[in-house]
Amino acid sequence: MSDLSAFPITKKWPATQPDRLQLYSLPTPNGVKVSIMLEEIGLPYEVHKVSFETNDQTTPEFLSLNPNNKIPAILDPDGPGGKPLALFESGAILVYLAEKTGKLIPQDAAGRYEALQWVMFQMGGVGPMFGQLGFFHKFAGEDFEDKRPRDRYVAESKRLLGVLDMHLKGRAWMVGDAYGIADIAIFPWVRNPVGFYGAGELVGFAQFKEVARVLETFVARPAVVRGLDIPKR
């Protein structure tokens, strides 16, 4: 049995199955990327809920794993060289899990870099811009009479959706016909404006038919259905 006692996070969230990968998360767009990935690849894991309501993410135990106090984070008892590996940042975790298992990432170098560029596109563009859209539209819209900040992120969200829509024409998934980490990175975030943020009309989502097509296929996958509800709210 693996000994994870050297990691302070296990004091607050004890590992009842220490031989399994430990996931510290919430069902947010970034959080479900990793739970969906784990469900897709079938790697056994144990999930721990990091509650924002009680500021779990700012506790010393969580900060010992992720000093940036964001979810998700993982602790893999069977990391490189058979040693435990602590890892944060959802994009890095997706790449790590894909390379660890040899699943959901192209095996040829060109395909791998094509997948990675779209993961980076999500990390640097889709996530931050859609997140700001949600902040100004859903959470803080009534507090700001000046709508220019909101409109800035509406415009940028539309632009990014347009990039995706053009790219997806003639493709089943982000990297051709192969479903993989680029889709797992992007589509939990695409789901948010039309769902949780209630901003579908604001960004004109109906005009992005290719994005809507792939999103519908994505959310119908059994592993995605399971992963979107982990950990349970």
Side-chain angles (χ1 to χ4, degrees), residues 38 56 60 63 67 85 87 90 93-94 112-113 118-119 139 145 156 171 177 188 195 207 210-211 216:
L38 288 166
D56 284 350
L63 292 173
L85 174 71
L87 200 61
S90 56
I93 295 171
L94 289 181
R112 179 178 180 274
Y113 285 115
W118 287 109
V119 173
F139 299 110
E145 293 184 9
E156 183 62 4
R171 292 181 172 89
D177 293 329
Q207 68 183 289
E210 299 297 326
V211 175
E216 183 178 6

Side-chain angles (χ1 to χ4, degrees), residues 37-56:
M37 180 68 175
L38 288 166
E39 290 292 322
E40 291 280 10
I41 63 181
L43 190 68
Y45 68 101
E46 180 177 357
V47 64
H48 305 278
K49 182 178 180 180
V50 181
S51 176
F52 290 171
E53 294 177 358
T54 53
N55 291 318
D56 284 350

Side-chain angles (χ1 to χ4, degrees), residues 155-170:
E156 183 62 4
S157 296
K158 286 182 177 180
R159 189 190 71 80
L160 292 167
L161 286 167
V163 172
L164 290 172
D165 207 62
M166 183 177 296
H167 174 74
L168 287 168
K169 289 181 180 178

Side-chain angles (χ1 to χ4, degrees), residues 23 25-28 31-33 35-36 39 45 47 49 191 222-233:
L23 169 64
S25 191
L26 268 182
T28 67
V32 299
K33 291 181 203 172
S35 53
I36 289 170
E39 290 292 322
Y45 68 101
V47 64
K49 182 178 180 180
R191 179 173 170 264
V224 173
V225 173
R226 296 192 300 270
L228 287 171
D229 196 34
I230 295 172
K232 292 187 179 297
R233 293 187 182 275

